């Protein structure tokens, strides 16, 4: 296998984390803070310093910027604009770059969306999660279903470019009828993109603790599988293509599908910088993650220190395994010849037994250079991914 | 030579100033603390050396608070009569599994302290060992311990001792080992009541081995009591039952640290190192004699100890097989009652079928293997040996249920049965009788020992006892009942093999032998339990219980609904990777039968079903 990290196959991306929230949702385990708006200014100062001075290995040429959170819609238009400029000052941002910002419905109005748009954002994702009022109350969201629908309409009306909605299946209080209604009522508004997550109950969150204590019912695996099946069937029937296990892009004849170009970097082994609290980055074959405590992050940068907390050094086998399990999440799967050439091995041959076993179980198909999961394989993908890990000895 | 061990000859000869005794007590009744106090009071250990529970040297013994191996300490005591005595305190194991060792330790003594908790009263184990002491003609001195506790009732307990054991307890010593009360009185009672050893210095050498262990530097160390004659360094000896011949390299006594001497004479207790390499060459109960001038007869009571509980021990990781073998060989050096032979299982791979004295012994061995040799082990449900006569007249002993011959070729099966003694407050009689009847017990005796103490005797099949009988007994009596048992022999019975099938293939490690009338219910419960324990797989899994070719029941485990990481972005990759690795490790630790992955706990399911 190759000794040094392969060259990236295209432009990179930049992720910027805005941890501030008005309240904490019970299912969330991201690096977020509620009630710390006092720290907004010093945090932004730290963020600017990190963007300007750190992560020297990050790709110079980029074509996506992603503001994630937390709740980036809590930023003012000029704060967003300044951060975009900071990225432009440091990186070569290609024309037509995708600039995405995550938002909560309660922060959005026609004027608010216009300000976000004018700051340079061309893609707005809205954290709807559910339209069921019972569910929204239960998990501590700050909006109801109507507010969420209104936010999508406002975003559309403001002509922000692309509007995406994020949903979570399996939240407490949800029933199959409510989930169907959520999908249908949103789909008629024709957002460009749906991200649909199945609730994860392995993280340390207030919700998981409530489930462990028996205060809240844990979603049944079968119900989650049903929700995934229903979502896939329904969204595909109304003009969305499932291009990744939990992502659906609107297809428009004669145009490119409305995929998340930034998220594709993660699935296609492309490099990205990651700035801000708990932000992760991948460049020069290394994965790194920043510390997750707000004050520590701010003081690190005040002192000019790199706030890195996790570092996973270059290892060709680990990176190859990740390239495979991330790439196989895509509907199109992976190109065995190209990845094999990048990492310096015969992918078909080296993982032959993995592919064959998965094929026998109906989880995977190989045709020519391409290896991809079947629909069943997508729902059972961990069986294939698990088999990939450790199949080759680590170098 | 340590001065404290030189004994001036006095008018009555050397034997008159020796007292050999042990302590009989129920677990938690304070034996170990009392031993420590006796050592302190006689100066054998100073305050500086004081370490709680001196005699229990193994970590495990200290943690579990029970003695697993015997020990012997030589104490020097200046009594009120002005004379100095050599007191040999022989500590005995405190569990029914080690009855034979207890009996040999008692055979090395002339007296015993019967230590009874002044608030708890007499328990079954104490009773059994006291009978053993009385059978060995030991002078038994009752000691009422923990008299300083507010709920102590020394008079009532003394009465109980008289009623139950038939011992005169009017002069029982009132003591509190913890508080240091009554320690001198105990020592005086030992000197005045325990008879000095008998035997002759001029007779041919006869020394009883009452314990032995393997020292990695010195080989086997034997603990002996000289019954006749004397032992000296350089002497050629013979072990009368095994026939081995050795030369004494070193001998001495523990005080409690080892003190090397040149000889051990009649009546004395000490250790011998004689170049014995394997513990099984030097069995407990054997007799050491002079090779040149052997005794006519060995000490009586020698028995070859036979394991009565068998279980498969498998490395959870197949790579540890060789390591497990080495560890077991080392373990066997130190424990002649532990046996093992290689076996293979389609479900579990390569491992060993191991024999133990009982369940506690099994747990101890397993724990020591894991702890001292850093192994990760899977133990199959324990079972008992079965004696099978085939239709062609062949006699087999079956240690692994999956090896029981086909029903058609079996003429008879015999299973081990025990005589058990249970002592309980009367309010739990109903629970106990129901438990014993459920376990195919036959009542032999029911008698009131005292107003609040009932003695029950049941004959029970050992296989009904090995799994969870003791736990059930304790929970059914709020911990008040105590149990002791002895092997009574083998009895023929209508025993069948119950198989568990997973997707049509029998899982050998889950086969069990049980009574015909119980097989169906057990099979159903086991299949239900397996359904709970086997995780859903990519395909449907069918679990069945069967006797011979007859299927008793069927449970279905539906295929997995989903096995997917809900979302995965840049920040998740490392975490998801860990999650996948954890999932994979979990799967790797499972055992595969056909295509079905079975978690390790499932192999212990037999323990949990009725």
């Amino acid at each position: 296998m190759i000794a040094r990290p392969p060259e990236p196959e295209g432009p990179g991306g930049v992720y910027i984390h805005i941890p501030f929230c008005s309240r904490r949702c019970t299912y969330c385990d991201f690096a977020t803070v509620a009630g710390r708006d006092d720290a907004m200014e010093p945090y932004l100062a730290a963020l600017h310093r990190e963007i300007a001075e750190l992560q020297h290995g990050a790709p110079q040429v980029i074509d996506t910027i992603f503001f994630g959170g937390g709740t980036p819609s809590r930023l003012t238009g000029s704060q967003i604009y300044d951060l975009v400029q900071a990225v432009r000052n440091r990186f070569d941002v290609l024309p037509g770059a995708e600039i995405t910002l995550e938002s909560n419905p309660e922060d959005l109005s026609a004027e608010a969306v216009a300000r976000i748009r004018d700051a340079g954002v061309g893609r707005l994702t809205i954290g709807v999660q559910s339209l069921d009022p019972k569910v929204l109350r239960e998990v501590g969201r700050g909006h109801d279903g109507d507010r969420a629908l209104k936010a999508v309409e406002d975003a559309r009306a403001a002509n922000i470019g692309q509007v995406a909605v994020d949903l979570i299946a399996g939240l407490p209080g949800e029933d199959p009828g409510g989930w169907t209604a959520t999908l249908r009522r949103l789909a008629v508004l024709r957002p460009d993109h749906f991200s649909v997550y199945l609730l994860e109950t392995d993280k340390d969150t207030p919700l998981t603790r409530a489930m462990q204590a028996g205060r809240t019912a844990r979603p049944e695996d079968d119900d989650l599988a049903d929700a995934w099946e229903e979502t896939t069937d329904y969204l595909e029937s109304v003009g969305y293509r499932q291009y990744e296990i939990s992502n659906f892009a609107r297809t428009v004849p004669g145009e490119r599908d409305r995929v998340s170009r930034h998220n594709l970097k993660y699935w296609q082994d492309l490099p990205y910088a990651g700035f801000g609290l708990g932000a992760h980055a991948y460049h020069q074959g290394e994965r790194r993650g920043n510390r997750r405590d707000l004050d520590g992050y701010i003081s690190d940068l005040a002192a000019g220190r790199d706030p890195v907390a996790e570092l996973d050094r270059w290892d060709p086998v680990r990176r190859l395994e990740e390239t495979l399990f991330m790439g196989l999440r895509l509907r199109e799967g992976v190109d065995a010849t190209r990845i094999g050439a990048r990492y310096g091995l015969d992918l078909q041959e080296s993982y032959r037994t993995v592919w064959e076993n998965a094929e026998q179980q109906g989880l995977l198909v190989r045709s020519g250079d391409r290896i991809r999961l079947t629909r069943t394989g997508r729902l059972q993908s961990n069986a294939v991914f698990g088999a990939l890990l450790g199949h080759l000895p680590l170098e | 030579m340590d001065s404290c061990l030189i004994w001036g000859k006095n008018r009555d000869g050397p034997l008159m100033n020796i007292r050999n005794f042990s302590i009989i007590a129920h677990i938690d009744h304070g034996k170990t603390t009392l031993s420590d106090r006796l050592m302190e009071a006689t100066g054998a250990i100073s305050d500086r050396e004081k370490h709680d529970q001196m005699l229990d040297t193994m970590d495990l013994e200290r943690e579990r608070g029970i003695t697993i191996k015997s020990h012997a300490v030589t104490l020097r005591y200046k009594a009120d009569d002005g004379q100095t005595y050599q007191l040999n305190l022989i500590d005995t194991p405190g569990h029914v599994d080690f009855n034979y060792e207890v009996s040999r330790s008692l055979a090395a003594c002339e007296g015993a302290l019967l230590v009874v908790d002044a608030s708890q009263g007499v328990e079954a184990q104490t009773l059994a060992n006291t009978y053993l002491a009385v059978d060995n003609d030991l002078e038994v001195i009752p000691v009422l311990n923990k008299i300083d506790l507010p709920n102590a009732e020394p008079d009532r307990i003394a009465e109980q001792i008289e009623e139950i054991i038939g011992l005169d307890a009017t002069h029982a010593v009132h003591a509190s080992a913890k508080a240091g009360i009554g320690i001198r009185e105990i020592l005086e009672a030992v000197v005045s009541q325990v008879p000095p050893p008998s035997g002759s210095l001029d007779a041919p050498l006869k020394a009883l081995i009452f314990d032995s262990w393997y020292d990695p530097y010195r080989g086997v160390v034997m603990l002996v009591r000289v019954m006749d004659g004397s032992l000296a360094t350089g002497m050629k000896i013979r072990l009368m039952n095994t026939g081995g011949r050795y030369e004494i390299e070193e001998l001495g006594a523990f005080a409690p640290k080892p003190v090397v001497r040149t000889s051990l004479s009649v009546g004395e207790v000490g250790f011998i190192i004689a170049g014995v390499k394997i513990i099984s060459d030097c069995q407990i109960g054997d007799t050491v004699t002079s090779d040149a001038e052997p005794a006519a007869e060995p000490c009586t009571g020698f028995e070859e100890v036979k394991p009565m509980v068998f279980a498969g021990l498998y490395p959870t990781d197949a790579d540890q097989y060789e390591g497990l073998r080495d560890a077991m060989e080392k373990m066997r050096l130190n424990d002649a009652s532990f046996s093992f032979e290689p076996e293979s299982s389609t479900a579990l791979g390569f491992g060993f079928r191991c024999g133990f004295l009982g369940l506690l012994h099994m747990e101890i061995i397993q724990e020591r293997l894991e702890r001292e040799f850093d192994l990760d082990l899977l133990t199959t449900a324990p079972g008992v040996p079965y004696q099978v006569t085939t239709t062609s007249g062949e006699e087999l002993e079956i240690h692994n249920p999956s090896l029981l011959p086909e029903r058609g070729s079996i003429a008879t099966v015999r299973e081990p049965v025990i005589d058990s003694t249970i002592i309980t407050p009367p309010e739990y009689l109903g629970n106990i009788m129901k438990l014993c009847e459920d376990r195919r017990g036959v009542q032999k005796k029911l008698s009131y020992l005292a107003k609040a103490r009932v003695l029950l005797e049941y004959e029970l099949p050992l296989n009904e006892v090995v799994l969870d009988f003791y736990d059930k007994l304790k929970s059914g009596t709020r911990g008040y009942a105590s149990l002791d048992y002895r092997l009574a022999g083998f009895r023929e019975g209508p025993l069948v093999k119950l198989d568990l099938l997973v997707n049509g293939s029998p899982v050998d490690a889950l086969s069990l032998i049980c009574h015909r009338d119980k097989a169906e219910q057990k099979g159903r419960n086991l299949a239900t339990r397996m359904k709970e324990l086997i995780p859903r797989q990519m395909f449907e899994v069918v679990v069945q219980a069967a006797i011979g070719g007859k299927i008793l029941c069927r449970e279905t485990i539906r295929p997995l609904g989903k096995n997917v990481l809900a979302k995965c972005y840049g920040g998740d990759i490392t975490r998801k990777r860990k999650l996948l690795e954890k999932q994979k490790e979990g799967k790797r630790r499972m055992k595969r039968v056909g295509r079905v992955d079975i978690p390790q706990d499932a192999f212990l399911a037999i323990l949990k079903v009725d």
Side-chain angles (χ1 to χ4, degrees):
Chain A
M1 287 187 76
I2 52 167
R4 302 189 52 75
E7 285 301 313
E9 291 188 311
V14 169
Y15 175 85
I16 295 171
H17 191 74
I18 307 296
F20 301 97
C21 288
S22 59
R23 59 174 89 189
R24 192 165 171 96
C25 307
T26 59
Y27 54 79
C28 177
D29 83 324
F30 289 118
T32 64
V33 288
R36 286 297 313 271
D37 288 4
D38 59 296
M40 180 69 96
E41 283 305 323
Y43 179 74
L44 289 176
L47 196 48
H48 276 278
R49 185 157 190 191
E50 194 188 8
I51 295 171
E53 297 175 11
L54 293 170
Q55 294 187 39
H56 302 291
Q60 184 56 33
V61 180
I62 61 144
D63 67 349
T64 65
I65 303 171
F66 194 103
F67 290 92
T71 316
S73 54
R74 292 172 66 78
L75 294 173
T76 65
S78 63
Q79 286 169 335
I80 297 170
Y81 179 82
D82 290 346
L83 286 167
V84 172
Q85 285 312 307
V87 173
R88 291 187 185 280
N89 290 340
R90 157 82 190 267
F91 297 93
D92 301 329
V93 181
L94 293 180
E98 174 195 87
I99 302 179
T100 306
L101 182 125
E102 288 183 338
S103 68
N104 270 353
E106 64 266 33
D107 294 331
L108 300 182
S109 62
E111 301 73 37
V113 176
R115 277 198 299 275
I116 292 169
R117 178 198 66 205
D118 294 343
V121 173
R123 185 168 182 273
L124 188 67
T125 73
I126 304 174
V128 173
Q129 320 310 4
S130 172
L131 292 177
D132 188 328
K134 200 162 89 242
V135 174
L136 292 170
R137 247 193 335 271
E138 180 107 358
V139 299
R141 297 292 293 175
H143 59 89
D144 60 15
D146 290 343
R147 182 70 199 257
L149 291 170
K150 171 95 176 19
V152 177
E153 284 166 356
D154 286 346
R156 268 265 163 270
N159 245 334
I160 196 166
Q162 294 189 24
V163 178
V165 298
D166 293 350
L167 297 174
I168 302 177
L171 286 174
E174 183 183 281
D175 55 65
W179 180 248
T180 306
T182 293
L183 287 176
R184 282 167 200 260
R185 288 169 70 195
L186 283 164
V188 296
L189 301 178
R190 306 309 286 159
D192 296 284
H193 190 275
F194 280 92
S195 289
V196 183
Y197 312 140
L198 305 180
L199 184 69
E200 292 188 327
T201 53
D202 60 308
K203 308 189 268 195
D204 183 32
T205 64
L207 182 58
T208 310
R209 287 193 292 276
M211 286 173 180
Q212 277 157 359
R215 295 193 300 274
T216 303
R218 202 179 274 278
E220 292 289 332
D221 266 11
D222 286 354
D223 294 341
L224 287 172
D226 287 349
W228 187 87
E229 300 271 7
E230 183 195 349
T231 307
T232 304
D233 288 342
Y234 176 70
L235 291 178
E236 294 230 314
S237 76
V238 296
Y240 293 87
R241 192 176 117 84
Q242 183 184 42
Y243 70 103
E244 195 264 356
I245 289 175
S246 36
N247 285 278
F248 299 82
R250 191 156 70 114
T251 56
V252 183
E255 289 180 32
R256 192 176 166 186
D257 291 353
R258 306 281 165 82
V259 297
S260 165
R261 284 158 56 198
H262 182 79
N263 287 341
L264 275 174
K265 310 258 183 244
Y266 304 139
W267 300 315
Q268 292 180 333
D269 196 27
L270 286 163
Y272 48 93
F275 299 114
L277 192 68
H280 283 76
Y282 172 46
H283 35 70
Q284 312 281 348
E286 281 186 3
R287 294 193 186 280
R288 48 164 283 157
N290 281 350
R291 57 193 299 172
R292 288 167 64 98
D293 58 311
L294 183 64
D295 297 325
Y297 173 82
I298 292 171
S299 61
D300 268 357
L301 281 148
R305 277 193 303 270
D306 189 341
V308 67
E310 298 169 33
L311 193 60
D312 186 0
R313 299 247 181 228
W314 160 249
D315 177 293
V317 176
R318 284 172 73 86
R319 294 299 91 83
L320 171 65
E321 286 172 353
E322 289 153 8
T323 301
L324 292 175
F325 82 68
M326 293 301 280
L328 285 168
R329 295 182 63 91
L330 291 170
R331 175 85 157 254
E332 65 185 26
V334 295
D335 183 325
T337 308
R338 248 176 57 207
I339 292 175
R342 272 170 74 64
Y343 284 89
L345 81 172
D346 182 339
L347 205 57
Q348 297 276 14
E349 196 49 43
S350 305
Y351 286 90
R352 174 185 293 282
T353 53
V354 176
W355 309 138
E356 284 176 356
N357 286 342
E359 254 175 354
Q360 273 164 22
Q361 295 176 72
L363 303 177
L364 180 136
V365 287
R366 285 179 293 177
S367 59
D369 288 338
R370 292 220 81 83
I371 302 173
R372 60 180 183 81
L373 296 182
T374 60
R375 179 165 165 155
T376 312
R378 290 198 284 279
L379 200 51
Q380 306 286 351
S381 48
N382 286 355
V384 182
F385 300 165
L388 288 168
L389 295 193
H391 182 76
L392 298 181
L394 285 183
E395 292 200 344
Chain B
M1 202 183 292
D2 190 286
S3 63
C4 80
L5 292 158
I6 301 172
W7 309 97
K9 291 212 171 165
N10 57 45
R11 59 196 150 77
D12 299 313
L15 292 180
M16 287 312 292
N17 285 33
I18 298 174
R19 298 290 182 274
N20 296 318
F21 70 105
S22 64
I23 304 176
I24 294 170
H26 188 67
I27 188 168
D28 291 338
H29 282 201
K31 179 170 71 171
T32 311
T33 315
L34 179 58
S35 307
D36 289 351
R37 289 291 169 275
L38 296 178
M39 282 191 276
E40 276 167 49
T42 55
I45 51 169
S46 65
D47 275 354
R48 196 172 49 77
E49 299 170 308
K50 200 156 85 187
H51 178 11
D52 268 354
Q53 308 198 340
M54 275 297 298
L55 283 181
D56 289 355
T57 46
M58 229 187 294
D59 282 352
L60 259 177
E61 293 194 346
R62 208 166 281 138
E63 277 170 32
R64 287 174 179 252
I66 51 165
T67 312
I68 299 161
K69 299 294 289 179
S70 312
H71 306 268
V73 191
T74 301
L75 310 172
R76 182 171 185 260
Y77 175 62
K78 189 154 195 258
D80 291 353
D81 64 7
Q83 295 200 37
T84 299
Y85 290 84
Q86 179 191 142
L87 306 184
N88 294 309
L89 165 58
I90 296 172
D91 196 17
T92 55
H95 192 275
V96 58
D97 283 3
F98 306 105
N99 264 331
Y100 177 66
E101 291 183 33
V102 176
S103 79
R104 293 307 85 206
S105 294
L106 293 177
C109 300
E110 280 78 35
L113 298 171
L114 167 62
V115 178
V116 179
D117 186 316
S119 58
Q120 308 275 322
V122 177
E123 302 290 358
Q125 179 83 59
T126 325
L127 188 62
N129 287 343
T130 308
Y131 287 153
L132 211 54
V134 171
D135 288 349
N136 277 292
D137 292 326
L138 267 57
E139 180 66 31
V140 178
I141 304 170
V143 174
L144 300 172
N145 195 22
K146 306 194 187 182
I147 50 142
D148 56 328
L149 294 185
N151 55 344
E153 298 176 88
D155 294 342
R156 190 178 67 81
I157 302 300
E159 209 174 290
Q160 205 184 72
I161 292 174
E162 293 187 2
E163 284 177 47
I164 296 177
I165 305 174
L167 276 178
D168 179 5
T170 42
H171 301 296
V173 183
H174 288 205
S176 165
K178 203 163 185 181
I181 302 167
I183 304 303
R184 180 131 192 124
E185 287 80 351
I186 292 172
L187 289 166
E188 283 300 318
V190 169
V191 166
S192 62
Q193 293 177 40
V194 174
S198 55
S200 160
L201 186 61
D202 304 324
L205 168 67
K206 218 159 117 175
L208 170 70
I209 303 173
F210 60 88
D211 195 12
S212 63
W213 65 85
Y214 183 80
D215 180 292
Y217 302 105
R218 307 302 309 272
V220 174
V221 181
M222 299 169 234
L223 273 184
V224 297
R225 150 73 196 273
V226 185
M227 305 308 236
D228 278 318
S230 65
L231 287 156
T233 316
M235 187 176 175
K236 300 242 185 332
I237 55 165
R238 189 193 301 175
L239 302 184
M240 295 184 80
N241 288 291
T242 54
R245 289 178 160 82
Y246 307 92
E247 184 178 321
I248 296 180
E249 295 168 2
E250 191 174 300
L251 54 73
F254 290 100
K257 288 180 184 151
V259 176
V260 175
R261 297 175 54 183
T262 50
S263 67
L264 284 173
S265 299
V266 57
E268 291 191 303
V269 169
F271 67 85
I272 314 175
I273 296 169
V276 184
K277 295 280 175 281
I278 305 166
I279 196 101
S280 50
D281 288 346
C282 170
Q283 295 179 11
I284 292 173
D286 204 346
T287 303
V288 180
T289 192
S290 157
D291 193 42
E293 195 194 343
E297 292 290 330
C299 305
T300 53
F302 174 76
E303 281 173 31
E304 189 101 36
V305 184
K306 289 194 71 181
M308 287 315 287
V309 169
F310 288 85
L313 254 60
Y314 288 79
T316 52
D317 189 336
D319 298 347
Q320 288 190 339
Y321 176 81
E322 286 303 324
L324 176 57
R325 175 195 287 283
D326 292 347
M328 285 180 160
E329 266 159 15
K330 290 203 179 87
M331 196 64 73
R332 188 158 60 182
L333 286 176
N334 213 344
D335 187 343
S337 44
F338 163 59
S339 69
F340 64 93
E341 54 190 31
E343 72 172 7
S344 79
S345 149
T346 51
L348 303 177
F350 292 107
F352 299 90
R353 178 72 18 183
C354 302
F356 309 94
L357 295 174
L359 271 197
L360 176 76
H361 187 219
M362 175 176 119
E363 278 174 35
I364 289 166
I365 297 271
Q366 190 193 349
E367 214 171 313
R368 288 189 62 192
L369 285 169
E370 293 194 324
R371 198 184 289 198
E372 292 167 28
F373 299 91
D374 196 24
L375 297 165
D376 220 345
L377 299 179
L378 192 160
T379 311
T380 64
V384 301
Y386 293 91
Q387 294 178 349
V388 176
T389 307
T390 64
T391 45
S392 58
E394 204 185 345
E395 297 281 341
L396 305 169
E397 185 161 298
I398 301 294
H399 296 162
N400 179 341
S402 71
L403 300 178
L404 190 74
E406 289 301 310
R407 234 187 329 176
S409 59
I410 294 177
T412 59
V413 188
R414 289 171 300 283
E415 62 177 334
V417 293
I418 55 165
D419 284 333
S420 67
T421 307
I422 298 167
I423 295 183
T424 178
E427 55 264 43
Y428 305 113
L429 264 180
N431 287 351
I432 295 175
M433 286 162 74
K434 174 160 191 319
L435 174 66
C436 290
E437 272 154 34
D438 285 351
R439 299 305 173 93
R440 301 190 278 134
V442 178
Q443 198 186 91
K444 290 295 175 71
K445 188 174 172 186
L446 191 166
S447 63
Y448 276 74
L449 298 171
K451 266 198 292 299
R453 303 298 276 177
V454 183
L455 180 139
L456 281 160
E457 286 179 17
Y458 271 89
E459 184 184 283
L460 283 156
L462 183 60
N463 89 332
E464 299 281 351
V465 176
V466 287
L467 293 186
D468 58 351
F469 182 84
Y470 190 64
D471 292 342
K472 288 255 156 64
L473 179 71
K474 283 285 173 191
S475 63
T477 62
R478 297 171 167 219
Y480 281 112
S482 60
L483 167 75
D484 188 75
Y485 61 82
R486 296 277 183 283
L487 189 68
F490 282 77
R491 300 268 186 284
E492 191 180 332
L495 298 160
V496 295
K497 179 169 67 141
L498 180 66
D499 287 313
L500 198 98
L501 285 69
V502 170
N503 279 4
S505 316
V507 183
D508 54 4
L510 285 169
S511 292
L512 62 100
I513 293 172
C514 67
H515 192 270
R516 191 180 50 210
D517 295 349
K518 295 183 138 197
E520 183 149 348
Q521 189 57 45
K522 212 169 175 86
R524 278 179 201 286
N525 293 346
L526 193 56
T528 313
R529 183 92 187 110
M530 293 305 283
K531 183 182 174 175
E532 292 160 14
L533 288 170
I534 297 176
R536 293 163 69 181
Q537 323 252 324
M538 301 268 299
F539 41 83
E540 185 179 270
V541 175
V542 175
V543 179
Q544 294 163 305
I547 298 173
K550 190 187 155 218
I551 302 288
L552 300 173
C553 61
R554 173 195 168 101
E555 294 283 353
T556 306
I557 301 166
R558 281 178 307 145
L560 199 58
K562 70 163 184 67
N563 182 16
V564 62
L565 299 171
K567 61 181 160 89
C568 204
Y569 298 111
D572 297 323
I573 295 170
T574 305
R575 196 175 76 85
K576 301 291 183 193
R577 177 186 186 96
K578 283 185 191 141
L579 217 66
L580 287 168
E581 279 165 353
K582 202 171 134 198
Q583 201 175 36
K584 187 183 176 112
E585 176 60 21
K587 197 168 160 140
R588 198 181 64 81
R589 288 175 64 92
M590 289 198 224
K591 299 291 178 182
R592 185 164 274 209
V593 176
R595 290 196 301 150
V596 182
D597 291 317
I598 301 181
Q600 311 222 356
D601 348 336
F603 294 98
L604 294 173
I606 302 174
L607 295 170
K608 309 272 163 55
V609 300
D610 288 324

